[in-house]
Amino acid sequence: MTATHPTRPPETAGWREWVSLPDLGVPWTKAKLDTGARSSAVHAFDLEAFERDGAEWVRFSIHPWQRSAEDAVEVELPVHDRRIVRSSSGHAEERYVVLMEIRLLGRTVTAEVTLSRRDEMGFRFLIGRQALCQGFAVDSSRSYVGGRPRRVVRRKNRGVPPHTQVATDGA
């Protein structure tokens, strides 16, 4: 059973899923579900810390598409924490942590998300254990259990202009 839904069995997700970030106005972004990572992380750039009403906030931008700089979203959120995070390569760095709503498999959870440069990573959004323990189990042999957006959205994610003819993998 899960920590936040003790009477509800966990939803089974694949190792990669399409998710939305409702508070940020991002209807679709691809995410890697990583049970080896404690916290979640998003590719963030143009970070700027500032103060609002006596509290620390951070302004940053995200790219919702994997191989595209289109449709960047500027975000302002209160800083939840700052942490030293060690990457899978062993490099440690201090990162801002913000709270973000993630909609996965029809459930919305609040996750602690670190802000980092993920330009070179395969996924610009990573969902870690702290978010997954809120009602999800990961089946590493499956992908996109929660479904996929329309083909035009998936093409945009691959950096393909909307009217370009390419071989596709179906609807």
Side-chain angles (χ1 to χ4, degrees):
M1 297 300 155
T2 67
T4 57
H5 302 287
T7 60
R8 191 172 173 186
E11 294 283 334
T12 301
W15 72 272
R16 58 185 173 173
E17 293 288 346
W18 284 94
V19 301
S20 66
L21 307 173
D23 287 350
L24 309 185
V26 175
W28 294 108
T29 192
K30 214 184 272 187
K32 177 181 179 182
L33 281 57
D34 188 349
T35 60
R38 181 175 169 260
S39 55
S40 300
V42 67
H43 169 66
F45 59 98
D46 294 340
L47 271 76
E48 177 187 346
F50 64 98
E51 192 173 300
R52 178 179 288 160
D53 299 326
E56 186 177 25
W57 282 61
V58 66
R59 179 180 299 116
F60 58 97
S61 294
I62 63 171
H63 288 137
W65 310 119
Q66 286 301 109
R67 297 181 187 98
S68 172
E70 287 186 41
D71 302 330
V73 177
E74 188 173 286
V75 180
E76 292 183 355
L77 289 171
V79 173
H80 176 67
D81 196 6
R82 287 184 191 209
R83 291 199 189 125
I84 303 295
V85 177
R86 188 169 305 281
S87 70
S88 57
S89 65
H91 175 71
E93 68 177 341
E94 184 178 60
R95 296 184 189 169
Y96 288 105
V97 180
V98 296
L99 296 179
M100 205 178 279
E101 285 195 346
I102 302 169
R103 186 147 181 85
L104 169 64
L105 300 178
R107 288 186 183 177
T108 302
V109 297
T110 301
E112 293 182 343
V113 179
T114 65
L115 307 179
S116 67
R117 294 299 303 234
R118 296 184 57 83
D119 310 84
E120 304 303 318
M121 305 302 283
F123 289 83
R124 289 186 172 166
F125 194 64
L126 181 126
I127 301 175
R129 288 190 312 271
Q130 287 181 325
L132 294 170
C133 76
Q134 296 179 63
F136 303 98
V138 178
D139 181 341
S140 62
S141 69
R142 299 177 69 191
S143 294
Y144 310 122
V145 173
R148 305 180 198 208
R150 294 179 28 236
R151 181 182 292 156
V152 68
V153 172
R154 295 193 330 260
R155 283 176 145 180
K156 192 170 196 172
N157 185 68
R158 292 191 298 257
V160 178
H163 295 72
T164 303
Q165 290 290 344
V166 295
T168 61
D169 59 342

